[in-house]
């Protein structure tokens, strides 16, 4: 399949390498302002993929069809465009990509973090994207790292390949078509009920707040130079993580989702071999996407929607408040809320419909 | 002066040694169930006081008049009884001591943490304590440690002697009399307006929550074996501390207190030499009084009173929620609130009067 991967971070570069090794025709694209992140790949048209302890897929030198910051070149003729950038960069990418999209193309945001809903809304407001399929996943395809100091540029490393990743399109009736076309690419994909479900089902938004905020002193003192999942997930960090998971479960329950099991979040983690992998050193500070993405685009919309439906999330709110003060920002104002998402203040059925069926009838 | 110090922790043992070295007739008392904490002093009738980097007072071998777990013996004839135990032990001590108190005795709870108000309420409800002066301070007299591994039993170390400690009696008209009698003992004492002011003005309740909760992973991973004030007070920990200080200032403002300066809490701290002292290793876990005292008896009453007056304290509440989940307790239920303190749900003037003038006219 002819696929364009947009982004220059861990996930985008790893997907590009992985898909190329799987035999696809892959273009890696990043916006000109982020060109440095894909500079190594751009000079060689290759990425070297390493496996790690829990890797099953192909590894080795991946040859990319194209590596470019030219948007027209990147989008033209692509059957699928996978956007793998932090949610705070979504509006910039959507603005850039929107006018280039052509009927029949699939844009999948991986992970979604409300990206599919926001992209669909963006396209509708600009009168763009007719006949385009917009979808998102709940998670990244891999736990992976790119271009870290011990890897060097042009190299990516897969720590864990996920065994199941859920996908939904908006409007939700499009999900079947997207699944039909993307399942051959990623057999682990499973259809989710809606993009509300995939956005809420991202385990990063549960795990990263307590992980960072309850290790804030250690992270800032060491610049993140310790094994954060192995040593920093202590009993109280695990309990706060589970408490947020429970609050998220309660929100999902209001919508009737088949929520992922999030009980004992870290019992699974601590049994996983990847927590022993050197990828799991901590972020250098609290501006990292673990906070700057997962709080405003994860916990803030969760809490805002819950609150509209009469459900208070005290532990989730605690994470938001501490993040705000720590980073001297107001994630309540900067993040996604019922207001900024343009969602109705009605019941759960109205919110679900507004998110899942935005733009009306299926193609 | 004939003084009884009740308690077996850092502060009680240090006060006993310090007061004895200053020439007072000192009895150290602890309840029989805590006898082990004062066992070394009980066998020798001495405590050895060490100075540290910021100590001015006398040091050396302090000879105590008595060390006992016999309550009658401890209280009989004492002019002043200083209670220096964590607030969670107050009810047990008040229950035990109440029947032994005689007119003219001073009971000073150091620090108060609502202790003077609670003791006064306890005595009134039992028809006890007539003519007894009940007071409290906002802080401990010293930052100090007793019987830590590197000190050994029977030894206490003063890290910092405070330059100002505020005292108030309940009813507040008694403050002048208590100040007159205790100022010769502790010249640093200053009269505060009421026990509401001293209870709210305890800087521990501002500092300990962020210090512990934002270093939770590090503390639990190492058992507290790092220099927590020197290395664990990083920029975000300092910001959250300051945010709670601001919320506390707002509550004090409702009551018109001359609140202590709490801006830039840790700028002062980081300039202090005591943060380099080995006393400042962390607590071994989150059950420590830094949480189990300062959350339910510090931040919970602060938040509860604020809320009754229409003021929400989001960062304070965040600390409470994370503490609850971390320690698998409900500090909202176990701690002091408008309800458990038996305070009126009126305005600030009514609450202040209820706390400060409990039991009516001065003696």
């Amino acid at each position: 399949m002819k696929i364009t991967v947009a982004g220059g971070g861990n996930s985008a570069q790893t997907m590009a390498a992985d898909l190329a090794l799987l035999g696809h025709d892959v273009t890696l694209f990043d916006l000109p302002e982020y060109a440095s992140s894909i500079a190594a790949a751009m000079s060689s048209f290759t990425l070297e993929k390493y496996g790690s302890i829990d890797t099953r897929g192909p590894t080795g030198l991946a040859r990319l069809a194209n590596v470019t910051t030219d948007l027209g070149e990147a989008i033209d003729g692509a059957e699928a465009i996978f956007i793998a950038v932090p949610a705070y960069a979504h509006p910039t990418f959507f603005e850039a990509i929107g006018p280039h999209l052509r009927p029949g193309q699939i844009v999948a945001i991986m992970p979604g973090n409300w990206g599919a809903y926001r992209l669909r809304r963006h396209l509708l407001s600009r009168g763009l994207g007719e006949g385009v399929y917009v979808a998102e996943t709940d998670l990244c395809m891999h736990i992976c790292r790119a271009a870290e100091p011990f890897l060097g540029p042009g190299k990516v490393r897969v720590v864990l390949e996920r065994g199941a990743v859920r996908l939904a399109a908006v409007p939700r009736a499009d999900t079947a078509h997207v699944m039909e076309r993307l399942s051959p690419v990623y057999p682990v994909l499973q259809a989710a009920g809606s993009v509300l479900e995939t956005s809420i089902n991202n385990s990063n938004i549960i795990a990263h707040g307590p992980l960072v905020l309850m290790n804030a002193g250690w992270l800032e003192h060491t610049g993140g130079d310790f094994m954060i999942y192995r040593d920093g997930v202590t009993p109280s960090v695990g309990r706060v993580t589970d408490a947020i998971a429970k609050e998220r479960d309660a929100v999902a329950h209001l919508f009737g989702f088949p929520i992922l099991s999030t009980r004992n979040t870290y019992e699974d983690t601590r049994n996983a071999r990847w927590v022993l992998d050197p990828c799991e050193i901590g972020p250098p500070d609290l501006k990292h996407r673990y906070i700057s993405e997962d709080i405003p685009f994860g916990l803030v919309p969760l809490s805002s929607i819950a609150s509209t439906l009469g459900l208070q999330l005290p532990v989730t709110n605690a994470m938001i408040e501490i993040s705000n003060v720590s980073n001297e920002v107001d994630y309540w104002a900067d993040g996604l809320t019922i207001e900024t998402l343009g969602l109705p203040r009605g019941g759960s059925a109205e919110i679900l419909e507004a998110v899942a069926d935005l733009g009306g009838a299926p193609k």
Side-chain angles (χ1 to χ4, degrees), chain A residues 28 177 191-192 307:
Chain A
L28 177 63
H177 173 81
S307 174

Side-chain angles (χ1 to χ4, degrees), chain A residues 256-298:
Chain A
F257 293 161
I259 194 79
L260 297 179
S261 167
T262 44
R263 283 292 303 137
N264 302 315
T265 309
Y266 277 114
E267 284 190 21
D268 294 344
T269 298
R270 297 193 73 78
N271 290 332
R273 288 185 298 156
W274 69 266
V275 305
L276 302 174
D277 194 274
C279 94
E280 55 108 0
I281 58 169
D285 58 47
L286 276 61
K287 300 284 183 190
H288 186 267
R289 67 180 165 87
Y290 278 11
I291 298 296
S292 59
E293 178 178 30
D294 291 311
I295 300 295
F297 302 97

Side-chain angles (χ1 to χ4, degrees), chain A residues 16-18 20-22 40-41 44-50 58-64 153-156:
Chain A
D18 193 52
L21 287 168
L22 288 167
S44 67
F45 282 54
T46 64
L47 279 169
E48 192 162 1
K49 181 188 167 204
Y50 291 81
T59 57
L61 193 71
R63 302 199 171 276
L64 305 177
K155 300 182 200 298
V156 299

Side-chain angles (χ1 to χ4, degrees), chain A residues 179-203:
Chain A
M179 279 297 294
E180 192 181 318
R181 286 173 64 190
L182 295 188
S183 291
V185 178
Y186 286 128
V188 297
L189 288 176
Q190 300 174 356
S194 75
V195 292
L196 182 63
E197 184 178 331
T198 45
S199 286
I200 287 180
N201 252 324
N202 183 333
S203 54

Side-chain angles (χ1 to χ4, degrees), chain A residues 18 24 63 74 96 126 187 207-208 227 231 245 249 268 275 299 306 308:
Chain A
D18 193 52
H24 297 286
R63 302 199 171 276
R126 304 291 197 285
H208 288 165
M227 300 286 271
D231 297 336
D249 289 357
D268 294 344
V275 305
L299 294 188
T308 299

